Amino acid sequence: MKLEEAQESSLLDVLDKQIVYALVTDARIAFAKLGVILGVSEQTVARRYRSLRQRGILHVSGQVNAVPLGHARWVIRLRSTPDKAVRLAESLARFPDLSWVTLLSTGSEVTCVSRPRSAERRDRLLLHTLPQASQVTGLIAHEVIHRFPLAEDWPHYSHLLTRAQLRQLGPRGSTADHVGPETPVDFSAQDEAMLMILGRDGRAPYAQIAAEIGWTATRVARRMAELVESRVLYFDLDFAIERMGYAVRAGLWLRTRPADLEATGAAIAAHPETVFVAATTGPTNLMVSIVCSDTAHLYRYVTQRLGPLDGITDVEVTPALRVFKQAQTLLDSDRISLVR
């Protein structure tokens, strides 16, 4: 494929972007309903979605939110020797409790997000598996103590829809970490099997899931709705940002005065570049993930958006050299350990 053809195949037109926005709002929206909202046929929506997936621009996956179940989320920074950093990141990407495995531009540091579903799995990872790996020369684990809700989820395509279309789509379901189920959630073997399927494909049809786990499609739909309502199951979209006109992902590690932490986090959550922002424990108390079009855009962000904010006493900028895993879970990795 010629360079011009490769670039063209990655471009998103207005309809593509409208579909992306709808999926961010409701990842399992029926294509027939979305076609009515956008004024196109169900077949057109389905064809565009398949194209987005085949081009690797987006992937929908179902994820378990362990926070409402009483388990914290952790952002982990691991130092390694440059010759072993890639192998470390590749191994971490296979762990089921880890997401957003990223090699930083230093070439010797890897970050990841851990959502352990039990204290035992948390302790095994943080106290045994990672410290004992020969590639790891240093480790800092930041516990996420508060996630700031974004003004609008990235990418910001809402302006491409009319007010009537936005009303028809409705608001995105709440993803607040602190909102949990009213009663404890126990996962059956069928629940676990369903979650594995959704991890591979968040839009897997009810009938397909039912056939694989031995339930009826109606029962699958009802149970999925229950888990979503309890905030334990949510749907995430992974994006290939470089195919959407963006070249830079970066993590920001901020230190703020305690009295300014809430206001600073809320202000950053309103920035269009922001993908994730949370207050954390550790040597820095605010962690931010941003997406920029290029390094000049990153510079403008740091100087013109962060610079005017009161309360920030220190900032470290860590661009991503390579992302090995986003939200998507690798489902057969329970038996995989770090390469020694």
PDB file of all heavy atoms in Angstrom, residues 19-33:
ATOM      1  N   ILE A  19     -20.199   8.083  14.707  1.00  0.00           N
ATOM      2  CA  ILE A  19     -20.336   6.712  15.207  1.00  0.00           C
ATOM      3  C   ILE A  19     -19.424   6.494  16.403  1.00  0.00           C
ATOM      4  O   ILE A  19     -19.826   5.880  17.407  1.00  0.00           O
ATOM      5  CB  ILE A  19     -20.032   5.706  14.081  1.00  0.00           C
ATOM      6  CG1 ILE A  19     -21.133   5.777  13.012  1.00  0.00           C
ATOM      7  CG2 ILE A  19     -19.905   4.287  14.631  1.00  0.00           C
ATOM      8  CD1 ILE A  19     -20.824   4.974  11.764  1.00  0.00           C
ATOM      9  N   VAL A  20     -18.205   7.005  16.331  1.00  0.00           N
ATOM     10  CA  VAL A  20     -17.271   6.886  17.461  1.00  0.00           C
ATOM     11  C   VAL A  20     -17.864   7.547  18.698  1.00  0.00           C
ATOM     12  O   VAL A  20     -17.849   6.971  19.794  1.00  0.00           O
ATOM     13  CB  VAL A  20     -15.910   7.511  17.111  1.00  0.00           C
ATOM     14  CG1 VAL A  20     -15.053   7.680  18.371  1.00  0.00           C
ATOM     15  CG2 VAL A  20     -15.166   6.644  16.104  1.00  0.00           C
ATOM     16  N   TYR A  21     -18.409   8.755  18.533  1.00  0.00           N
ATOM     17  CA  TYR A  21     -18.996   9.445  19.689  1.00  0.00           C
ATOM     18  C   TYR A  21     -20.146   8.636  20.279  1.00  0.00           C
ATOM     19  O   TYR A  21     -20.269   8.511  21.507  1.00  0.00           O
ATOM     20  CB  TYR A  21     -19.494  10.835  19.298  1.00  0.00           C
ATOM     21  CG  TYR A  21     -20.124  11.555  20.464  1.00  0.00           C
ATOM     22  CD1 TYR A  21     -19.347  12.247  21.389  1.00  0.00           C
ATOM     23  CD2 TYR A  21     -21.500  11.502  20.681  1.00  0.00           C
ATOM     24  CE1 TYR A  21     -19.913  12.876  22.475  1.00  0.00           C
ATOM     25  CE2 TYR A  21     -22.079  12.119  21.778  1.00  0.00           C
ATOM     26  CZ  TYR A  21     -21.276  12.809  22.678  1.00  0.00           C
ATOM     27  OH  TYR A  21     -21.847  13.409  23.773  1.00  0.00           O
ATOM     28  N   ALA A  22     -20.986   8.074  19.419  1.00  0.00           N
ATOM     29  CA  ALA A  22     -22.115   7.284  19.904  1.00  0.00           C
ATOM     30  C   ALA A  22     -21.636   6.067  20.682  1.00  0.00           C
ATOM     31  O   ALA A  22     -22.213   5.714  21.714  1.00  0.00           O
ATOM     32  CB  ALA A  22     -22.987   6.850  18.728  1.00  0.00           C
ATOM     33  N   LEU A  23     -20.567   5.432  20.220  1.00  0.00           N
ATOM     34  CA  LEU A  23     -20.052   4.255  20.908  1.00  0.00           C
ATOM     35  C   LEU A  23     -19.411   4.627  22.243  1.00  0.00           C
ATOM     36  O   LEU A  23     -19.475   3.851  23.204  1.00  0.00           O
ATOM     37  CB  LEU A  23     -19.035   3.536  20.022  1.00  0.00           C
ATOM     38  CG  LEU A  23     -19.607   2.859  18.773  1.00  0.00           C
ATOM     39  CD1 LEU A  23     -18.492   2.370  17.877  1.00  0.00           C
ATOM     40  CD2 LEU A  23     -20.534   1.718  19.155  1.00  0.00           C
ATOM     41  N   VAL A  24     -18.789   5.791  22.324  1.00  0.00           N
ATOM     42  CA  VAL A  24     -18.267   6.250  23.603  1.00  0.00           C
ATOM     43  C   VAL A  24     -19.413   6.472  24.587  1.00  0.00           C
ATOM     44  O   VAL A  24     -19.301   6.172  25.779  1.00  0.00           O
ATOM     45  CB  VAL A  24     -17.443   7.548  23.421  1.00  0.00           C
ATOM     46  CG1 VAL A  24     -17.093   8.161  24.775  1.00  0.00           C
ATOM     47  CG2 VAL A  24     -16.165   7.259  22.641  1.00  0.00           C
ATOM     48  N   THR A  25     -20.524   6.983  24.078  1.00  0.00           N
ATOM     49  CA  THR A  25     -21.697   7.233  24.921  1.00  0.00           C
ATOM     50  C   THR A  25     -22.384   5.935  25.317  1.00  0.00           C
ATOM     51  O   THR A  25     -22.760   5.735  26.472  1.00  0.00           O
ATOM     52  CB  THR A  25     -22.693   8.136  24.171  1.00  0.00           C
ATOM     53  OG1 THR A  25     -22.034   9.354  23.806  1.00  0.00           O
ATOM     54  CG2 THR A  25     -23.891   8.457  25.058  1.00  0.00           C
ATOM     55  N   ASP A  26     -22.567   5.038  24.362  1.00  0.00           N
ATOM     56  CA  ASP A  26     -23.245   3.751  24.595  1.00  0.00           C
ATOM     57  C   ASP A  26     -22.574   2.716  23.708  1.00  0.00           C
ATOM     58  O   ASP A  26     -22.896   2.590  22.525  1.00  0.00           O
ATOM     59  CB  ASP A  26     -24.733   3.872  24.278  1.00  0.00           C
ATOM     60  CG  ASP A  26     -25.496   2.567  24.494  1.00  0.00           C
ATOM     61  OD1 ASP A  26     -24.863   1.565  24.895  1.00  0.00           O
ATOM     62  OD2 ASP A  26     -26.710   2.546  24.255  1.00  0.00           O
ATOM     63  N   ALA A  27     -21.639   1.970  24.287  1.00  0.00           N
ATOM     64  CA  ALA A  27     -20.808   1.065  23.493  1.00  0.00           C
ATOM     65  C   ALA A  27     -21.604  -0.040  22.821  1.00  0.00           C
ATOM     66  O   ALA A  27     -21.170  -0.588  21.806  1.00  0.00           O
ATOM     67  CB  ALA A  27     -19.715   0.452  24.372  1.00  0.00           C
ATOM     68  N   ARG A  28     -22.762  -0.396  23.357  1.00  0.00           N
ATOM     69  CA  ARG A  28     -23.561  -1.484  22.790  1.00  0.00           C
ATOM     70  C   ARG A  28     -24.847  -0.985  22.129  1.00  0.00           C
ATOM     71  O   ARG A  28     -25.793  -1.745  21.945  1.00  0.00           O
ATOM     72  CB  ARG A  28     -23.893  -2.516  23.872  1.00  0.00           C
ATOM     73  CG  ARG A  28     -22.680  -3.325  24.321  1.00  0.00           C
ATOM     74  CD  ARG A  28     -23.085  -4.433  25.291  1.00  0.00           C
ATOM     75  NE  ARG A  28     -24.009  -5.380  24.715  1.00  0.00           N
ATOM     76  CZ  ARG A  28     -23.656  -6.466  24.010  1.00  0.00           C
ATOM     77  NH1 ARG A  28     -22.373  -6.735  23.801  1.00  0.00           N
ATOM     78  NH2 ARG A  28     -24.573  -7.289  23.532  1.00  0.00           N
ATOM     79  N   ILE A  29     -24.857   0.275  21.737  1.00  0.00           N
ATOM     80  CA  ILE A  29     -26.042   0.801  21.072  1.00  0.00           C
ATOM     81  C   ILE A  29     -26.331  -0.018  19.821  1.00  0.00           C
ATOM     82  O   ILE A  29     -25.437  -0.413  19.080  1.00  0.00           O
ATOM     83  CB  ILE A  29     -25.850   2.297  20.717  1.00  0.00           C
ATOM     84  CG1 ILE A  29     -27.154   2.886  20.186  1.00  0.00           C
ATOM     85  CG2 ILE A  29     -24.699   2.493  19.749  1.00  0.00           C
ATOM     86  CD1 ILE A  29     -27.108   4.397  20.013  1.00  0.00           C
ATOM     87  N   ALA A  30     -27.610  -0.307  19.583  1.00  0.00           N
ATOM     88  CA  ALA A  30     -27.999  -1.079  18.408  1.00  0.00           C
ATOM     89  C   ALA A  30     -27.741  -0.260  17.149  1.00  0.00           C
ATOM     90  O   ALA A  30     -28.037   0.938  17.094  1.00  0.00           O
ATOM     91  CB  ALA A  30     -29.477  -1.455  18.503  1.00  0.00           C
ATOM     92  N   PHE A  31     -27.197  -0.903  16.132  1.00  0.00           N
ATOM     93  CA  PHE A  31     -26.905  -0.193  14.897  1.00  0.00           C
ATOM     94  C   PHE A  31     -28.180   0.348  14.252  1.00  0.00           C
ATOM     95  O   PHE A  31     -28.155   1.391  13.594  1.00  0.00           O
ATOM     96  CB  PHE A  31     -26.162  -1.101  13.923  1.00  0.00           C
ATOM     97  CG  PHE A  31     -24.738  -1.400  14.335  1.00  0.00           C
ATOM     98  CD1 PHE A  31     -24.128  -2.576  13.934  1.00  0.00           C
ATOM     99  CD2 PHE A  31     -24.035  -0.505  15.110  1.00  0.00           C
ATOM    100  CE1 PHE A  31     -22.812  -2.854  14.307  1.00  0.00           C
ATOM    101  CE2 PHE A  31     -22.722  -0.776  15.497  1.00  0.00           C
ATOM    102  CZ  PHE A  31     -22.107  -1.950  15.093  1.00  0.00           C
ATOM    103  N   ALA A  32     -29.292  -0.368  14.412  1.00  0.00           N
ATOM    104  CA  ALA A  32     -30.556   0.115  13.854  1.00  0.00           C
ATOM    105  C   ALA A  32     -30.954   1.439  14.507  1.00  0.00           C
ATOM    106  O   ALA A  32     -31.345   2.392  13.829  1.00  0.00           O
ATOM    107  CB  ALA A  32     -31.650  -0.930  14.050  1.00  0.00           C
ATOM    108  N   LYS A  33     -30.839   1.517  15.841  1.00  0.00           N
ATOM    109  CA  LYS A  33     -31.161   2.755  16.556  1.00  0.00           C
ATOM    110  C   LYS A  33     -30.205   3.861  16.160  1.00  0.00           C
ATOM    111  O   LYS A  33     -30.620   5.007  15.915  1.00  0.00           O
ATOM    112  CB  LYS A  33     -31.095   2.513  18.064  1.00  0.00           C
ATOM    113  CG  LYS A  33     -31.321   3.768  18.894  1.00  0.00           C
ATOM    114  CD  LYS A  33     -31.213   3.486  20.389  1.00  0.00           C
ATOM    115  CE  LYS A  33     -31.376   4.768  21.203  1.00  0.00           C
ATOM    116  NZ  LYS A  33     -31.262   4.508  22.667  1.00  0.00           N
TER     117      LYS A  33
END
